Amino acid sequence: MTQSFIHIESPNYLRLQDLPTPPDWPGIFGNDNRLALEIGCGVGDFMLKTALDQPDTNFVAIDFYNKGCDKTCRRIDRHGVTNVRVVRDEARAFVTERIPKGSLSAVYINCPDPWPKKRHRKRRLVNKEFIEFLLDYMVPGADFFFATDFDDYGIDVANALPGIAALENQFGIDLYRHEFPGYHLSKYMRKFMAEGKQIYFMHYKVR
Ligand SMILES: C[S@@+](CC[C@H](N)C(=O)[O-])C[C@H]1O[C@@H](n2cnc3c(N)ncnc32)[C@H](O)[C@@H]1O
């Protein structure tokens, strides 16, 4: 399937080819506030609300979906938000090349593609190995948030997280919760909830 490519004109869109490895994030944002990452921002509704709640955090929202990056930029531009930058890239490559180690104060991953077929499961982005990879880029005390509507994905990740010694569950003994007051709902969460599905929320902190 060919996708029409949208040229994104936004002061908050960072073209990958213009970004050094790693970029000077304080220089880009004009301050040295803490840095947080949303992987797979989709249309950016979660990012907008979360960034408005936390004006003293610099957010990088990434997605490899060009139209999503465009929609995210339009949304944050419309609201005059200055603490979000959007990049079109693949998550693992982006983190490896553009995030300094030990610099992220939070990572948000909401409703990543579930790859429901058994034989496709290995294509899922989030698993123990990926979370351990992210840990290198996070600061002590950093937050890790994961949400999915897909039972099998939710349960898999919920079971993997307690095996990562560097992380501490913020939901006590609950491996996941279906409600997370204060955490914004994304477009996909709302869509799935309207279909009667439950969301699996997880919240851990780096020790
Ligand atoms: C089902 S959508 C969810 C979008 C949004 N987080 C939400 O909850 O509404 C999954 C998004 O993750 C993006 N995505 C999946 N894997 C990715 C990866 N490895 N790197 C960057 N983006 C990815 C897809 O392009 C898509 O926009």
Side-chain angles (χ1 to χ4, degrees):
M1 192 176 76
T2 51
Q3 223 187 50
S4 60
F5 194 80
I6 301 164
H7 183 74
I8 304 174
E9 276 301 337
S10 161
N12 294 312
Y13 183 66
L14 303 177
R15 258 166 272 282
L16 196 61
Q17 61 268 30
D18 299 338
L19 276 184
T21 305
D24 169 18
W25 291 112
I28 287 171
F29 284 98
N31 61 57
D32 62 359
N33 289 348
R34 55 193 223 135
L35 188 68
L37 174 68
E38 186 188 6
I39 293 174
C41 60
V43 296
D45 51 347
F46 173 87
M47 186 75 290
L48 172 70
K49 293 181 206 146
T50 303
L52 285 170
D53 278 357
Q54 299 179 55
D56 295 335
T57 299
N58 295 330
F59 289 92
V60 182
I62 69 156
D63 201 301
F64 55 37
Y65 172 46
N66 167 247
K67 199 168 168 186
C69 291
D70 184 50
K71 287 191 173 174
T72 301
C73 286
R74 286 174 190 271
R75 201 179 295 272
I76 59 173
D77 293 351
R78 231 178 10 248
H79 288 81
V81 170
T82 57
N83 59 327
V84 179
R85 297 293 182 276
V86 180
V87 183
R88 178 170 182 259
D89 199 5
E90 193 285 319
R92 187 181 274 272
F94 180 79
V95 171
T96 306
E97 290 162 25
R98 320 288 171 172
I99 298 292
K101 289 201 170 166
S103 70
L104 291 175
S105 65
V107 176
Y108 299 83
I109 308 178
N110 297 315
C111 302
D113 302 322
W115 294 107
K117 287 185 186 158
K118 219 168 185 167
R119 68 177 189 280
H120 289 156
R121 271 185 202 167
K122 55 181 177 299
R123 297 188 195 172
R124 283 181 185 166
L125 178 66
V126 183
N127 52 32
K128 186 164 189 266
E129 187 265 327
F130 183 69
I131 299 165
E132 284 174 338
F133 154 78
L134 288 176
L135 285 176
D136 261 1
Y137 297 87
M138 299 167 81
V139 294
D143 293 285
F144 174 76
F145 298 98
F146 177 73
T148 180
D149 66 294
F150 196 67
D151 300 319
D152 185 69
Y153 205 174
I155 289 163
D156 266 5
V157 176
N159 285 334
L161 279 161
I164 304 176
L167 287 177
E168 187 173 18
N169 191 354
Q170 300 304 294
F171 288 164
I173 57 164
D174 300 338
L175 291 182
Y176 55 81
R177 288 187 181 161
H178 288 311
E179 293 195 353
F180 192 176
Y183 193 80
H184 291 291
L185 297 178
S186 67
K187 177 184 166 185
Y188 271 81
M189 286 184 221
R190 287 196 306 276
K191 169 176 143 53
F192 294 130
M193 288 165 83
E195 292 168 7
K197 293 183 187 162
Q198 291 193 300
I199 307 299
Y200 292 76
F201 292 103
M202 286 150 235
H203 179 199
Y204 278 71
K205 266 186 191 288
V206 179
R207 292 180 202 274

